[in-house]
Amino acid sequence: DVSFEDYEPQINVMPRLAFSFPISTEANFFAHYDILVQRPASNTVATALDYFYFTEDRFNRGIRNNPNLLPERTVDYEVGFQQKLSNTSALKIAAYYKELRDMIQRRTFFPVPIVTNYSTYDNIDFGTVKGFSFTYDLRRTNNIQLQASYTLQFADGTGSDANSSRGLGSREVVRALFPLSFDERHRVTLNLDYR
C-alpha cells in the first residue's frame, strides 16, 4: 500500500462544435472547434514482475513502462471560406491551428538510489501545428474532374514521438522547440480524373 497506488480512471470530455453559414448564394463561411483524446498507444503495461526485477535490466532493456500515462490530447481550430467560381468549380481557403498536449516522451530520472538512474515514459511533450490551405475543386466538365490544393504548414514541438528526444539529454528534460517529423512547409496535391 505504501509503494503502489491504483490508477485513477480518466474522464475525457470531447466537445465538437462546427458552424457553417452562407454569406450569399455563392459563398459560405465555416468554422469548427474540437477536442480529440487518444489513449496512449504503447508503454503503459507494467506488472509486479517488472518491479520485482527493477534493479536488473534483463526484461526492460533500460526503459520502464509507465502505467500511469495520461491520454494524449489535441485541440483543433479551423476557419474558412468557400466561394463558387462557376456552376462547376469552387475555391476554398482555410486556416487551422492545433495544440498537441500531454504527448508521450521518454524521460530519465537521476539520481535514484540503488539503480543510479532509470528511463520511463511521461506526458511531457507538446506541440503546435499552424497552417493555411487553398483548394480548387472542379466538378466533371468536358470529361475532366480536378481537385488541386496547396497547404502551408508549420509543425513545431518538443518531440515527434515517444523516443525522439532520446539523444538530446540523458539526465534532464530538454524543452526546446523544433520542427516535428510531420512538418510539411509546402504541400501540393493534384487529383485529375479524365473519362
Side-chain angles (χ1 to χ4, degrees), residues 6-21:
D6 290 335
Y7 179 77
E8 295 183 17
Q10 301 294 316
I11 297 173
N12 299 300
V13 178
M14 297 186 291
R16 297 183 121 186
L17 301 171
F19 303 98
S20 177
F21 55 93

Side-chain angles (χ1 to χ4, degrees), residues 48-183:
L49 193 62
D50 294 327
Y51 293 101
F52 185 75
Y53 291 107
F54 194 82
T55 57
E56 299 179 23
D57 203 25
R58 62 181 184 182
F59 292 116
N60 299 311
R61 293 185 178 90
I63 305 170
R64 274 73 175 182
N65 284 341
N66 182 358
N68 202 27
L69 289 174
L70 299 173
E72 295 180 327
R73 178 180 306 269
T74 301
V75 181
D76 184 24
Y77 309 88
E78 183 179 23
V79 295
F81 175 75
Q82 188 168 7
Q83 174 69 46
K84 174 183 171 184
L85 300 176
S86 69
N87 287 334
T88 58
S89 65
L91 179 67
K92 181 164 105 174
I93 301 170
Y96 58 89
Y97 178 81
K98 293 180 184 179
E99 293 178 3
L100 310 171
R101 301 177 183 170
D102 294 329
M103 295 169 58
I104 298 170
Q105 185 57 249
R106 183 174 171 172
R107 180 178 190 178
T108 301
F109 288 93
F110 178 86
V112 178
I114 300 174
V115 293
T116 308
N117 67 4
Y118 74 94
S119 295
T120 187
Y121 294 94
D122 206 352
N123 296 97
I124 56 175
D125 266 354
F126 61 90
T128 59
V129 180
K130 305 168 280 285
F132 296 95
S133 65
F134 304 92
T135 305
Y136 174 73
D137 192 10
L138 176 66
R139 294 183 182 170
R140 189 159 308 281
T141 306
N142 297 330
N143 302 331
I144 294 177
Q145 180 178 351
L146 172 72
Q147 184 177 34
S149 67
Y150 168 75
T151 301
L152 173 65
Q153 175 181 283
F154 300 92
D156 298 314
T158 55
S160 298
D161 59 47
N163 291 301
S164 61
S165 295
R166 185 173 90 193
L168 295 178
S170 61
R171 295 192 177 165
E172 62 183 46
V173 177
V174 177
R175 307 302 334 146
L177 293 175
F178 51 88
L180 299 175
S181 63
F182 50 89
D183 178 46

